[in-house]
Amino acid sequence: MGGNDEALWISKEGTTLKFDIPIHTSKGVLYCMYLQCNDVEVSGVGADQPKRMNIAKAHDILGHTNEADTWETAKYLNWEITHGSLGPCESCAIGKARQNNVPKESDHEAAKVPGERFFLDLSSVKGTKNGPKVAAKKNWRLMVDERTGLGFSKFFTTKKGMVEPTLEQLQKMISTGIGVKYIWMDNAGENKMLQARSESKDWKLNLTFEFTARNTPQENSLVEVKFSTLANRGRAMMHRANMPQAMHYQVFPKIFETATYMDG
């Protein structure tokens, strides 16, 4: 990283990003850069002509999904993928470097209808001592549909701050015909508050809350495994973008929400 009176720049692995467009403000100068996007569209399902790329490029665009999912999604999007295997991905390896072992056990009768039961949990993203400052919205609430595995991520400044937005999201699902019946979660204080508010006259969602004991991740394995998967992909995406480490701690909420969206 370097700079002078005319520009700032960041270099990594032979690539340099130069911020050479000065914008003067009352507090000083903000250096910016102009980015011109190419014409690759992830949402271009209806494109007349198939897009041609190698498997590594598709893997990047699709948020570092596994190879099988990359091939399947590329086929659905009418992308023409050149032959060959993905091979090792440095960004994925770095993304998984911090992964903890996640128990994969849960003993209950699984839902048979999409949207019937959601697994819910919260995870707080913490920084290191004397390390970069962590974004204010560091409390990650994740809900996962048991039947389909579809996840819903949202970040909040406090754990209790997730209560009302989560109830609003559940109400919207119910109003659109999704038959949400059960919420599976541990008995933490914010989750007890979620139950109480759900049963209040303000919401009356008529949900059944199924509680596990705290500190028993094996009983909430579906959402615990999803946390790990999405965090790995988010870190891989930030590494592949050559993003400075300090910036990871500021933008991770949006990156992890994007990883959740692309995972669906």
Side-chain angles (χ1 to χ4, degrees):
M1 187 172 186
N4 53 34
D5 293 339
E6 298 181 352
L8 299 175
W9 55 84
I10 301 173
S11 298
K12 185 175 181 179
E13 298 178 353
T15 300
T16 299
L17 296 179
K18 191 172 184 180
F19 300 82
D20 55 358
I21 303 176
I23 298 178
H24 297 273
T25 71
S26 59
K27 296 183 179 180
V29 181
L30 179 66
Y31 288 95
C32 304
M33 66 182 298
Y34 174 75
L35 295 175
Q36 183 175 356
C37 298
N38 58 32
D39 61 353
V40 175
E41 301 178 25
V42 175
S43 59
V45 178
D48 294 332
Q49 298 296 326
K51 300 184 183 302
R52 181 180 175 86
M53 67 188 76
N54 60 40
I55 187 66
K57 179 66 173 179
H59 175 69
D60 275 350
I61 294 174
L62 296 175
H64 293 261
T65 56
N66 62 57
E67 185 169 359
D69 287 348
T70 299
W71 279 100
E72 185 175 351
T73 305
K75 181 179 179 181
Y76 179 79
L77 294 174
N78 197 31
W79 292 353
E80 183 180 347
I81 304 298
T82 55
H83 293 290
S85 60
L86 178 59
C89 173
E90 179 187 357
S91 296
C92 286
I94 290 175
K96 294 176 182 177
R98 300 180 184 178
Q99 178 176 341
N100 296 322
N101 292 328
V102 180
K104 300 180 181 180
E105 301 175 7
S106 185
D107 183 17
H108 69 281
E109 184 177 352
K112 297 180 174 60
V113 179
E116 183 178 46
R117 177 184 283 110
F118 280 91
F119 281 55
L120 183 150
D121 202 3
L122 284 98
S123 178
S124 296
V125 178
K126 300 177 181 179
T128 58
K129 185 177 181 180
N130 300 322
K133 183 179 179 181
V134 179
K137 293 184 177 181
K138 60 182 180 180
N139 295 288
W140 184 5
R141 187 231 61 203
L142 179 61
M143 295 194 302
V144 182
D145 174 31
E146 182 179 29
R147 179 60 177 171
T148 65
L150 186 65
F152 299 86
S153 288
K154 199 69 178 177
F155 284 80
F156 303 92
T157 54
T158 65
K159 292 184 176 181
K160 292 181 180 180
M162 70 88 181
V163 173
E164 297 300 315
T166 298
L167 293 173
E168 182 179 357
Q169 187 171 12
L170 291 170
Q171 184 183 56
K172 288 181 179 179
M173 291 180 181
I174 295 171
S175 66
T176 58
I178 299 175
V180 184
K181 294 181 180 180
Y182 308 102
I183 305 296
W184 182 286
M185 58 190 183
D186 66 37
N187 59 3
E190 62 274 5
N191 292 340
K192 288 287 190 178
M193 182 182 296
L194 182 72
Q195 179 190 27
R197 288 293 294 147
S198 170
E199 297 170 351
S200 71
K201 64 180 181 179
D202 296 325
W203 293 102
K204 297 181 179 178
L205 295 183
N206 194 30
L207 298 171
T208 299
F209 289 84
E210 303 170 316
F211 290 100
T212 67
R214 295 193 69 172
N215 301 317
T216 55
Q218 68 275 13
E219 295 184 11
N220 208 2
S221 60
L222 186 65
V223 71
E224 294 291 345
V225 171
K226 184 70 78 171
F227 269 132
S228 181
T229 300
L230 296 175
N232 291 345
R233 289 183 184 171
R235 287 191 291 264
M237 291 163 67
M238 290 187 287
H239 176 268
R240 186 67 182 87
N242 293 322
M243 191 178 295
Q245 187 68 26
M247 192 178 294
H248 289 200
Y249 289 91
Q250 291 298 310
V251 303
F252 71 84
K254 289 299 181 183
I255 299 297
F256 288 3
E257 286 176 3
T258 300
T260 307
Y261 176 78
M262 297 181 75
D263 185 63

PDB file of all heavy atoms in Angstrom, residues 30-53:
ATOM      1  N   LEU A  30     -10.762  12.895  -0.667  1.00  0.00           N
ATOM      2  CA  LEU A  30     -11.126  11.488  -0.787  1.00  0.00           C
ATOM      3  C   LEU A  30     -10.662  11.004  -2.153  1.00  0.00           C
ATOM      4  O   LEU A  30     -11.044  11.563  -3.183  1.00  0.00           O
ATOM      5  CB  LEU A  30     -12.649  11.330  -0.661  1.00  0.00           C
ATOM      6  CG  LEU A  30     -13.202   9.914  -0.783  1.00  0.00           C
ATOM      7  CD1 LEU A  30     -12.732   9.060   0.386  1.00  0.00           C
ATOM      8  CD2 LEU A  30     -14.729   9.945  -0.830  1.00  0.00           C
ATOM      9  N   TYR A  31      -9.795   9.992  -2.173  1.00  0.00           N
ATOM     10  CA  TYR A  31      -9.280   9.458  -3.435  1.00  0.00           C
ATOM     11  C   TYR A  31     -10.135   8.268  -3.886  1.00  0.00           C
ATOM     12  O   TYR A  31     -10.371   7.337  -3.118  1.00  0.00           O
ATOM     13  CB  TYR A  31      -7.825   9.032  -3.282  1.00  0.00           C
ATOM     14  CG  TYR A  31      -6.873  10.207  -3.175  1.00  0.00           C
ATOM     15  CD1 TYR A  31      -6.474  10.684  -1.935  1.00  0.00           C
ATOM     16  CD2 TYR A  31      -6.402  10.840  -4.317  1.00  0.00           C
ATOM     17  CE1 TYR A  31      -5.611  11.768  -1.833  1.00  0.00           C
ATOM     18  CE2 TYR A  31      -5.540  11.923  -4.225  1.00  0.00           C
ATOM     19  CZ  TYR A  31      -5.156  12.378  -2.985  1.00  0.00           C
ATOM     20  OH  TYR A  31      -4.308  13.460  -2.893  1.00  0.00           O
ATOM     21  N   CYS A  32     -10.587   8.324  -5.137  1.00  0.00           N
ATOM     22  CA  CYS A  32     -11.480   7.303  -5.665  1.00  0.00           C
ATOM     23  C   CYS A  32     -10.899   6.705  -6.945  1.00  0.00           C
ATOM     24  O   CYS A  32      -9.873   7.154  -7.453  1.00  0.00           O
ATOM     25  CB  CYS A  32     -12.857   7.901  -5.969  1.00  0.00           C
ATOM     26  SG  CYS A  32     -13.632   8.715  -4.552  1.00  0.00           S
ATOM     27  N   MET A  33     -11.584   5.677  -7.442  1.00  0.00           N
ATOM     28  CA  MET A  33     -11.169   5.070  -8.704  1.00  0.00           C
ATOM     29  C   MET A  33     -12.407   4.744  -9.514  1.00  0.00           C
ATOM     30  O   MET A  33     -13.507   4.615  -8.977  1.00  0.00           O
ATOM     31  CB  MET A  33     -10.339   3.801  -8.457  1.00  0.00           C
ATOM     32  CG  MET A  33     -11.109   2.668  -7.824  1.00  0.00           C
ATOM     33  SD  MET A  33     -10.086   1.208  -7.498  1.00  0.00           S
ATOM     34  CE  MET A  33      -9.571   0.780  -9.153  1.00  0.00           C
ATOM     35  N   TYR A  34     -12.227   4.626 -10.816  1.00  0.00           N
ATOM     36  CA  TYR A  34     -13.322   4.284 -11.715  1.00  0.00           C
ATOM     37  C   TYR A  34     -13.204   2.817 -12.095  1.00  0.00           C
ATOM     38  O   TYR A  34     -12.144   2.346 -12.509  1.00  0.00           O
ATOM     39  CB  TYR A  34     -13.267   5.153 -12.977  1.00  0.00           C
ATOM     40  CG  TYR A  34     -14.287   4.770 -14.030  1.00  0.00           C
ATOM     41  CD1 TYR A  34     -15.626   5.095 -13.868  1.00  0.00           C
ATOM     42  CD2 TYR A  34     -13.896   4.067 -15.168  1.00  0.00           C
ATOM     43  CE1 TYR A  34     -16.558   4.727 -14.821  1.00  0.00           C
ATOM     44  CE2 TYR A  34     -14.829   3.699 -16.126  1.00  0.00           C
ATOM     45  CZ  TYR A  34     -16.164   4.040 -15.951  1.00  0.00           C
ATOM     46  OH  TYR A  34     -17.081   3.664 -16.892  1.00  0.00           O
ATOM     47  N   LEU A  35     -14.284   2.073 -11.913  1.00  0.00           N
ATOM     48  CA  LEU A  35     -14.312   0.664 -12.257  1.00  0.00           C
ATOM     49  C   LEU A  35     -15.284   0.438 -13.409  1.00  0.00           C
ATOM     50  O   LEU A  35     -16.431   0.898 -13.355  1.00  0.00           O
ATOM     51  CB  LEU A  35     -14.744  -0.188 -11.063  1.00  0.00           C
ATOM     52  CG  LEU A  35     -13.809  -0.208  -9.855  1.00  0.00           C
ATOM     53  CD1 LEU A  35     -14.436  -0.996  -8.719  1.00  0.00           C
ATOM     54  CD2 LEU A  35     -12.471  -0.815 -10.230  1.00  0.00           C
ATOM     55  N   GLN A  36     -14.847  -0.245 -14.422  1.00  0.00           N
ATOM     56  CA  GLN A  36     -15.716  -0.590 -15.539  1.00  0.00           C
ATOM     57  C   GLN A  36     -16.002  -2.087 -15.482  1.00  0.00           C
ATOM     58  O   GLN A  36     -15.091  -2.909 -15.605  1.00  0.00           O
ATOM     59  CB  GLN A  36     -15.064  -0.245 -16.881  1.00  0.00           C
ATOM     60  CG  GLN A  36     -15.977  -0.537 -18.078  1.00  0.00           C
ATOM     61  CD  GLN A  36     -15.365  -0.066 -19.383  1.00  0.00           C
ATOM     62  OE1 GLN A  36     -14.295   0.539 -19.388  1.00  0.00           O
ATOM     63  NE2 GLN A  36     -16.036  -0.331 -20.483  1.00  0.00           N
ATOM     64  N   CYS A  37     -17.265  -2.434 -15.263  1.00  0.00           N
ATOM     65  CA  CYS A  37     -17.636  -3.842 -15.126  1.00  0.00           C
ATOM     66  C   CYS A  37     -17.719  -4.510 -16.492  1.00  0.00           C
ATOM     67  O   CYS A  37     -18.049  -3.880 -17.490  1.00  0.00           O
ATOM     68  CB  CYS A  37     -18.993  -3.972 -14.415  1.00  0.00           C
ATOM     69  SG  CYS A  37     -18.997  -3.304 -12.742  1.00  0.00           S
ATOM     70  N   ASN A  38     -17.418  -5.813 -16.498  1.00  0.00           N
ATOM     71  CA  ASN A  38     -17.590  -6.557 -17.748  1.00  0.00           C
ATOM     72  C   ASN A  38     -19.045  -6.971 -17.901  1.00  0.00           C
ATOM     73  O   ASN A  38     -19.894  -6.639 -17.080  1.00  0.00           O
ATOM     74  CB  ASN A  38     -16.658  -7.768 -17.795  1.00  0.00           C
ATOM     75  CG  ASN A  38     -16.890  -8.717 -16.633  1.00  0.00           C
ATOM     76  OD1 ASN A  38     -18.007  -8.852 -16.146  1.00  0.00           O
ATOM     77  ND2 ASN A  38     -15.829  -9.376 -16.177  1.00  0.00           N
ATOM     78  N   ASP A  39     -19.359  -7.738 -18.914  1.00  0.00           N
ATOM     79  CA  ASP A  39     -20.754  -8.051 -19.222  1.00  0.00           C
ATOM     80  C   ASP A  39     -21.199  -9.409 -18.702  1.00  0.00           C
ATOM     81  O   ASP A  39     -22.218  -9.933 -19.130  1.00  0.00           O
ATOM     82  CB  ASP A  39     -20.995  -8.002 -20.745  1.00  0.00           C
ATOM     83  CG  ASP A  39     -20.138  -9.019 -21.485  1.00  0.00           C
ATOM     84  OD1 ASP A  39     -19.281  -9.646 -20.839  1.00  0.00           O
ATOM     85  OD2 ASP A  39     -20.327  -9.165 -22.712  1.00  0.00           O
ATOM     86  N   VAL A  40     -20.440 -10.000 -17.750  1.00  0.00           N
ATOM     87  CA  VAL A  40     -20.871 -11.272 -17.179  1.00  0.00           C
ATOM     88  C   VAL A  40     -21.982 -11.014 -16.180  1.00  0.00           C
ATOM     89  O   VAL A  40     -21.814 -10.245 -15.245  1.00  0.00           O
ATOM     90  CB  VAL A  40     -19.697 -11.984 -16.490  1.00  0.00           C
ATOM     91  CG1 VAL A  40     -20.175 -13.247 -15.802  1.00  0.00           C
ATOM     92  CG2 VAL A  40     -18.619 -12.314 -17.512  1.00  0.00           C
ATOM     93  N   GLU A  41     -23.126 -11.611 -16.371  1.00  0.00           N
ATOM     94  CA  GLU A  41     -24.275 -11.409 -15.505  1.00  0.00           C
ATOM     95  C   GLU A  41     -24.669 -12.725 -14.857  1.00  0.00           C
ATOM     96  O   GLU A  41     -25.038 -13.677 -15.525  1.00  0.00           O
ATOM     97  CB  GLU A  41     -25.478 -10.872 -16.290  1.00  0.00           C
ATOM     98  CG  GLU A  41     -25.206  -9.542 -16.986  1.00  0.00           C
ATOM     99  CD  GLU A  41     -26.414  -9.093 -17.781  1.00  0.00           C
ATOM    100  OE1 GLU A  41     -27.525  -9.506 -17.424  1.00  0.00           O
ATOM    101  OE2 GLU A  41     -26.243  -8.365 -18.753  1.00  0.00           O
ATOM    102  N   VAL A  42     -24.598 -12.757 -13.524  1.00  0.00           N
ATOM    103  CA  VAL A  42     -24.999 -13.967 -12.821  1.00  0.00           C
ATOM    104  C   VAL A  42     -26.482 -14.221 -13.016  1.00  0.00           C
ATOM    105  O   VAL A  42     -26.949 -15.335 -13.066  1.00  0.00           O
ATOM    106  CB  VAL A  42     -24.675 -13.825 -11.312  1.00  0.00           C
ATOM    107  CG1 VAL A  42     -25.196 -15.016 -10.531  1.00  0.00           C
ATOM    108  CG2 VAL A  42     -23.173 -13.682 -11.124  1.00  0.00           C
ATOM    109  N   SER A  43     -27.256 -13.135 -13.148  1.00  0.00           N
ATOM    110  CA  SER A  43     -28.701 -13.298 -13.270  1.00  0.00           C
ATOM    111  C   SER A  43     -29.154 -13.484 -14.707  1.00  0.00           C
ATOM    112  O   SER A  43     -30.341 -13.537 -14.975  1.00  0.00           O
ATOM    113  CB  SER A  43     -29.399 -12.056 -12.685  1.00  0.00           C
ATOM    114  OG  SER A  43     -28.984 -10.893 -13.377  1.00  0.00           O
ATOM    115  N   GLY A  44     -28.237 -13.590 -15.649  1.00  0.00           N
ATOM    116  CA  GLY A  44     -28.615 -13.644 -17.056  1.00  0.00           C
ATOM    117  C   GLY A  44     -29.092 -15.006 -17.509  1.00  0.00           C
ATOM    118  O   GLY A  44     -28.546 -15.601 -18.440  1.00  0.00           O
ATOM    119  N   VAL A  45     -30.097 -15.538 -16.849  1.00  0.00           N
ATOM    120  CA  VAL A  45     -30.600 -16.868 -17.182  1.00  0.00           C
ATOM    121  C   VAL A  45     -31.177 -16.892 -18.581  1.00  0.00           C
ATOM    122  O   VAL A  45     -31.049 -17.862 -19.311  1.00  0.00           O
ATOM    123  CB  VAL A  45     -31.665 -17.289 -16.151  1.00  0.00           C
ATOM    124  CG1 VAL A  45     -32.227 -18.656 -16.509  1.00  0.00           C
ATOM    125  CG2 VAL A  45     -31.064 -17.308 -14.761  1.00  0.00           C
ATOM    126  N   GLY A  46     -31.803 -15.793 -18.974  1.00  0.00           N
ATOM    127  CA  GLY A  46     -32.486 -15.785 -20.256  1.00  0.00           C
ATOM    128  C   GLY A  46     -31.635 -15.297 -21.412  1.00  0.00           C
ATOM    129  O   GLY A  46     -32.163 -14.946 -22.459  1.00  0.00           O
ATOM    130  N   ALA A  47     -30.340 -15.238 -21.232  1.00  0.00           N
ATOM    131  CA  ALA A  47     -29.475 -14.740 -22.297  1.00  0.00           C
ATOM    132  C   ALA A  47     -29.586 -15.627 -23.531  1.00  0.00           C
ATOM    133  O   ALA A  47     -29.663 -16.847 -23.443  1.00  0.00           O
ATOM    134  CB  ALA A  47     -28.025 -14.702 -21.799  1.00  0.00           C
ATOM    135  N   ASP A  48     -29.581 -14.993 -24.693  1.00  0.00           N
ATOM    136  CA  ASP A  48     -29.721 -15.737 -25.944  1.00  0.00           C
ATOM    137  C   ASP A  48     -28.476 -16.560 -26.240  1.00  0.00           C
ATOM    138  O   ASP A  48     -28.558 -17.683 -26.721  1.00  0.00           O
ATOM    139  CB  ASP A  48     -29.991 -14.758 -27.095  1.00  0.00           C
ATOM    140  CG  ASP A  48     -31.337 -14.070 -26.932  1.00  0.00           C
ATOM    141  OD1 ASP A  48     -32.232 -14.682 -26.323  1.00  0.00           O
ATOM    142  OD2 ASP A  48     -31.468 -12.937 -27.417  1.00  0.00           O
ATOM    143  N   GLN A  49     -27.308 -15.987 -25.978  1.00  0.00           N
ATOM    144  CA  GLN A  49     -26.060 -16.672 -26.285  1.00  0.00           C
ATOM    145  C   GLN A  49     -25.422 -17.182 -24.990  1.00  0.00           C
ATOM    146  O   GLN A  49     -25.332 -16.458 -24.005  1.00  0.00           O
ATOM    147  CB  GLN A  49     -25.094 -15.709 -26.997  1.00  0.00           C
ATOM    148  CG  GLN A  49     -25.611 -15.201 -28.330  1.00  0.00           C
ATOM    149  CD  GLN A  49     -25.783 -16.331 -29.343  1.00  0.00           C
ATOM    150  OE1 GLN A  49     -25.023 -17.291 -29.346  1.00  0.00           O
ATOM    151  NE2 GLN A  49     -26.785 -16.208 -30.201  1.00  0.00           N
ATOM    152  N   PRO A  50     -24.984 -18.438 -24.964  1.00  0.00           N
ATOM    153  CA  PRO A  50     -24.332 -18.956 -23.760  1.00  0.00           C
ATOM    154  C   PRO A  50     -23.006 -18.248 -23.514  1.00  0.00           C
ATOM    155  O   PRO A  50     -22.312 -17.880 -24.458  1.00  0.00           O
ATOM    156  CB  PRO A  50     -24.128 -20.437 -24.088  1.00  0.00           C
ATOM    157  CG  PRO A  50     -24.107 -20.494 -25.581  1.00  0.00           C
ATOM    158  CD  PRO A  50     -25.057 -19.429 -26.045  1.00  0.00           C
ATOM    159  N   LYS A  51     -22.676 -18.040 -22.262  1.00  0.00           N
ATOM    160  CA  LYS A  51     -21.413 -17.414 -21.902  1.00  0.00           C
ATOM    161  C   LYS A  51     -20.375 -18.514 -21.730  1.00  0.00           C
ATOM    162  O   LYS A  51     -20.647 -19.554 -21.151  1.00  0.00           O
ATOM    163  CB  LYS A  51     -21.584 -16.597 -20.629  1.00  0.00           C
ATOM    164  CG  LYS A  51     -22.613 -15.489 -20.772  1.00  0.00           C
ATOM    165  CD  LYS A  51     -22.688 -14.632 -19.537  1.00  0.00           C
ATOM    166  CE  LYS A  51     -23.792 -13.577 -19.678  1.00  0.00           C
ATOM    167  NZ  LYS A  51     -23.590 -12.720 -20.836  1.00  0.00           N
ATOM    168  N   ARG A  52     -19.182 -18.266 -22.213  1.00  0.00           N
ATOM    169  CA  ARG A  52     -18.119 -19.267 -22.192  1.00  0.00           C
ATOM    170  C   ARG A  52     -17.031 -18.840 -21.214  1.00  0.00           C
ATOM    171  O   ARG A  52     -16.571 -17.706 -21.244  1.00  0.00           O
ATOM    172  CB  ARG A  52     -17.533 -19.439 -23.599  1.00  0.00           C
ATOM    173  CG  ARG A  52     -16.435 -20.477 -23.707  1.00  0.00           C
ATOM    174  CD  ARG A  52     -15.938 -20.566 -25.136  1.00  0.00           C
ATOM    175  NE  ARG A  52     -14.805 -21.471 -25.254  1.00  0.00           N
ATOM    176  CZ  ARG A  52     -14.910 -22.783 -25.418  1.00  0.00           C
ATOM    177  NH1 ARG A  52     -16.117 -23.328 -25.495  1.00  0.00           N
ATOM    178  NH2 ARG A  52     -13.833 -23.548 -25.518  1.00  0.00           N
ATOM    179  N   MET A  53     -16.655 -19.744 -20.323  1.00  0.00           N
ATOM    180  CA  MET A  53     -15.619 -19.451 -19.341  1.00  0.00           C
ATOM    181  C   MET A  53     -15.091 -20.762 -18.791  1.00  0.00           C
ATOM    182  O   MET A  53     -15.703 -21.820 -18.966  1.00  0.00           O
ATOM    183  CB  MET A  53     -16.177 -18.589 -18.207  1.00  0.00           C
ATOM    184  CG  MET A  53     -17.215 -19.294 -17.339  1.00  0.00           C
ATOM    185  SD  MET A  53     -18.013 -18.182 -16.177  1.00  0.00           S
ATOM    186  CE  MET A  53     -19.140 -17.323 -17.283  1.00  0.00           C
TER     187      MET A  53
END
